[in-house]
Amino acid sequence: MFQARRRTGVLGALLAVALSAAAAVAVPPEARAAGTLSMRGADVSTLQRAVDLGAKYYTSAGAVADPLDILRSAGVNYLRLRVWNNPRSGYNNAARVLAYARTVKAKGFKLLIDFHYSDTWADPGVQTKPAAWSSHGISALTTDVYDYTYGLCTALKAQGTTPDSVQIGNEINVGMLWNDGKVVNNDFTNLSLLLKSGYNATKACNSSTQVVIHTANSDSDAHARWFYDGIRAKGVVWDITALSYYCNWHGTTANMTAVVADMISRYGKPAILAETAAPFTLNNADGTGNSINTACPGYAATWAGQGAAFTAVQNAAKAGGAVGVFYWEPTWTAVPGNGWDPANIASSGDGWDNMAVFNWTNVFNGTMKWIS
């Protein structure tokens, strides 16, 4: 996630040739008996930089505390860290992830590593190759993915912070490492080679690390089936199916429940929401405009509304049979110098300051609870 450009009509146009009108998907009776959210997650990829800049975080009662401890007290047991290959910011690269993984594991959290395979944001609208791989064709890219994935995974393992899960790509609705790994004319061949390479590298590093394949397709069962059917037909295997759900872009929670239930039934794998969030205000804390400027339907953009919206999403995911929900960037408040642009991190702002679970003085929203 980051840029609002991602949820545009472009994705629909790309998929239109591949999709027929989707019938509504009924939630299976067995899915309606909500299970347990064992992966209660938060993506804290910008937190390391915020702390390095001296940011302080506060409990809902106003006491200074470690933000990871605050999140744990709210129910979080799993943290997600993105990794970019060679970002100009010097953050979210392998070295920084290795360092922060020690903090994550020392506090008893499980760890999900989110490989973007890019030097910057990768999402449904852009999947730019790292500069070092820019001239590489599909054969070389397959090796690149294997070597990079295996290298970071084994480095994490060597320091005692073996990842519990890894994502092979981030929101890869129509592929990754464009244009070589992009799905064109419904041809999943190249993408399947990259995904198999990432899977094999992960399992070679640690056979019990779960491989996650993540799209933002909670909006449409037809879109989700098109993607996961496409990779399955090419022999891709994975351990967890992951979707993003943002109320502003992906429709109703009832629809999301149905998509989650169908993913579990169709592919026989656990499913999670790897990203979700809701606003606590529509105001803006800095010079960079907010990525989201509307409240979730039925929920006010207030602290109480944010907490209620997040609870509703978790319950809807559980109703579909999901085993986990991750909140995207709950600690990304408007700390000067912690901007969204890795090419200009010191001067760019934060478009997510109204979506964090800490307010503009870094006080925690006490209505936010991660439920099991």
Side-chain angles (χ1 to χ4, degrees), residues 242-263:
L243 305 168
S244 295
Y245 176 77
Y246 294 96
C247 63
N248 313 82
W249 296 315
H250 292 129
T252 66
T253 53
N255 179 70
M256 177 264 284
T257 297
V259 175
V260 168
D262 185 58
M263 293 297 97

Side-chain angles (χ1 to χ4, degrees), residues 221-293:
D221 197 62
H223 291 175
R225 285 186 175 193
W226 174 82
F227 179 88
Y228 291 103
D229 280 0
I231 62 172
R232 183 175 63 174
K234 291 293 184 179
V236 174
V237 292
W238 68 99
D239 300 316
I240 297 174
T241 304
L243 305 168
S244 295
Y245 176 77
Y246 294 96
C247 63
N248 313 82
W249 296 315
H250 292 129
T252 66
T253 53
N255 179 70
M256 177 264 284
T257 297
V259 175
V260 168
D262 185 58
M263 293 297 97
I264 296 167
S265 174
R266 192 172 183 84
Y267 305 110
K269 305 176 190 302
I272 65 172
L273 298 184
E275 295 185 19
T276 193
F280 71 86
T281 181
L282 300 183
N283 294 325
N284 180 29
D286 62 16
T288 295
N290 295 334
S291 294
I292 291 177
N293 292 294

